[in-house]
Amino acid sequence: MIEITGLTAVSDEKCILDNIDIHIKKGDFAVIFSPETETGHTLIHCIMGYNRDYKGSVKVNCDMRDVRYIPDDILWDEYSTAGEYMLMVAGASGNYDIKMQEMLCGKFNVHMDEKLLEMTFEDNKLVQIIAALCSKPELLILNMPQNFLGGAVKADIYGLLKDFHGMDSAIVVVCDSYEELKTYCGRYIYIKDGGVKADGYVADGDMRKRVITVGGNKSEAFMNALGPFLGAKNGRSSYLYDYEIRRIPHILGRLECDDYLIEEMTLEEEINSDFSRWE
């Protein structure tokens, strides 16, 4: 679907992407995330053909008419209504699903006769997403969609994306944090300092290492039972735990500890072995 090989892109003499390889295949629901916002923008612009000033190869192996891109912005058309925008998208698509449009507009209370710039930013973004989904693209790319969506609506949209994607299509979400998408996507790609630091598939509920914080200072007994000591703050000590969570109550009960906190590491923390929250 997307084949990126040896991609290097520079902006203002700064290397944004440094000889990266990424291959997105049909059936992928991939989250590409990076702490550097410019990384995602640059990557998308290379994929979409907006930026051709790069080294390496970027190929999209489908008709570009079957690609939908939702940028990190609202629709700034001051004259068009939601209905007119969706009609325009439908006219450019050979497979537009009107019934799906009606269902989604009803679900999210989107009014077809409302002008785009008189809508809330959230509703404006919903118009873009609904129109894109109803056009049944082979490849759907979303850049920072969470910026304009509230919590409940965001979860509903991520659920729709999960339901929509199939073996004949691919979805790519570019953002700065993987955590809120971890229960929906099937693949993650982490880019930092211009390079791909991790590329994997979500399995077994995206099991992570956990940190257990208990009362008291560093203890050999807790290190032997739980794992490596990470640090101590405010009279409490933290340990890295990398086993089944169901064992924790039994282990801590044996140590006569009923005052504890269990925290899951973020994927970014785990990739970077970043324990600064507990040190």
Side-chain angles (χ1 to χ4, degrees):
M1 184 67 73
I2 301 176
E3 296 181 9
I4 297 172
T5 306
L7 174 61
T8 297
V10 176
S11 176
D12 295 328
E13 301 184 354
K14 177 185 177 183
C15 185
I16 307 300
L17 300 169
D18 187 10
N19 193 35
I20 68 168
D21 297 335
I22 295 175
H23 301 279
I24 304 291
K25 66 180 188 299
K26 286 186 177 182
D28 277 348
F29 181 174
V31 174
I32 301 176
F33 68 108
S34 172
E36 302 126 1
T37 304
E38 193 173 4
T39 297
H41 293 321
T42 301
L43 180 61
I44 287 176
H45 286 183
C46 291
I47 293 171
M48 294 301 298
Y50 304 150
N51 176 13
R52 297 187 182 276
D53 185 18
Y54 59 78
K55 295 179 181 178
S57 172
V58 179
K59 296 179 181 179
V60 178
N61 296 320
C62 67
D63 192 319
M64 291 304 289
R65 289 175 295 184
D66 291 322
V67 177
R68 292 291 177 271
Y69 168 49
I70 301 177
D72 177 23
D73 205 350
I74 63 168
L75 297 165
W76 288 97
D77 187 336
E78 62 180 309
Y79 300 108
S80 295
T81 63
E84 289 167 341
Y85 173 79
M86 291 183 183
L87 184 63
M88 179 190 71
V89 174
S93 170
N95 195 31
Y96 197 85
D97 191 332
I98 293 294
K99 289 185 178 180
M100 182 179 179
Q101 174 188 295
E102 292 173 351
M103 183 272 291
L104 291 177
C105 286
K107 175 181 176 66
F108 293 105
N109 200 28
V110 172
H111 301 289
M112 299 291 283
D113 58 352
E114 189 173 1
K115 287 189 175 181
L116 294 170
L117 287 187
E118 293 178 359
M119 291 178 152
T120 64
F121 282 0
E122 181 175 82
D123 285 349
N124 188 299
K125 178 58 65 173
L126 283 170
V127 170
Q128 295 182 65
I129 295 173
I130 290 170
L133 288 173
C134 292
S135 64
K136 303 288 184 71
E138 285 189 47
L139 174 61
L140 175 59
I141 302 174
L142 303 94
N143 188 14
M144 303 289 285
Q146 72 277 13
N147 282 357
F148 297 96
L149 301 177
V153 170
K154 192 187 306 181
D156 285 342
I157 289 297
Y158 292 159
L160 279 174
L161 293 175
K162 182 178 181 179
D163 293 340
F164 170 81
H165 109 281
M167 295 310 297
D168 294 327
S169 62
I171 296 176
V172 177
V173 176
V174 176
C175 58
D176 56 6
S177 175
Y178 164 80
E179 297 309 306
E180 63 186 20
L181 279 152
K182 65 184 180 182
T183 58
Y184 304 98
C185 71
R187 182 179 176 189
Y188 57 83
I189 300 170
Y190 177 58
I191 302 176
K192 185 180 180 184
D193 299 328
V196 176
K197 305 302 182 185
D199 183 348
Y201 287 86
V202 179
D204 300 325
D206 188 28
M207 182 64 69
R208 301 280 182 77
K209 292 179 180 177
R210 294 177 171 85
V211 174
I212 301 178
T213 300
V214 299
N217 295 318
K218 180 178 179 179
S219 162
E220 289 290 337
F222 280 98
M223 290 174 63
N224 292 332
L226 298 175
F229 172 75
L230 297 179
K233 290 181 179 179
N234 303 319
R236 300 177 67 81
S237 54
S238 298
Y239 303 85
L240 183 63
Y241 182 80
D242 195 17
Y243 304 99
E244 293 177 307
I245 192 169
R246 64 184 179 86
R247 295 175 54 189
I248 294 176
H250 174 71
I251 293 171
L252 294 176
R254 202 171 66 231
L255 293 167
E256 299 182 349
C257 174
D258 58 5
D259 176 19
Y260 59 88
L261 173 67
I262 304 172
E263 296 174 283
E264 185 180 79
M265 294 184 69
T266 68
L267 181 58
E268 187 170 4
E269 286 172 335
E270 189 166 321
I271 291 169
N272 293 314
S273 297
D274 177 10
F275 305 110
S276 58
R277 275 202 284 160
W278 302 279
E279 292 174 342

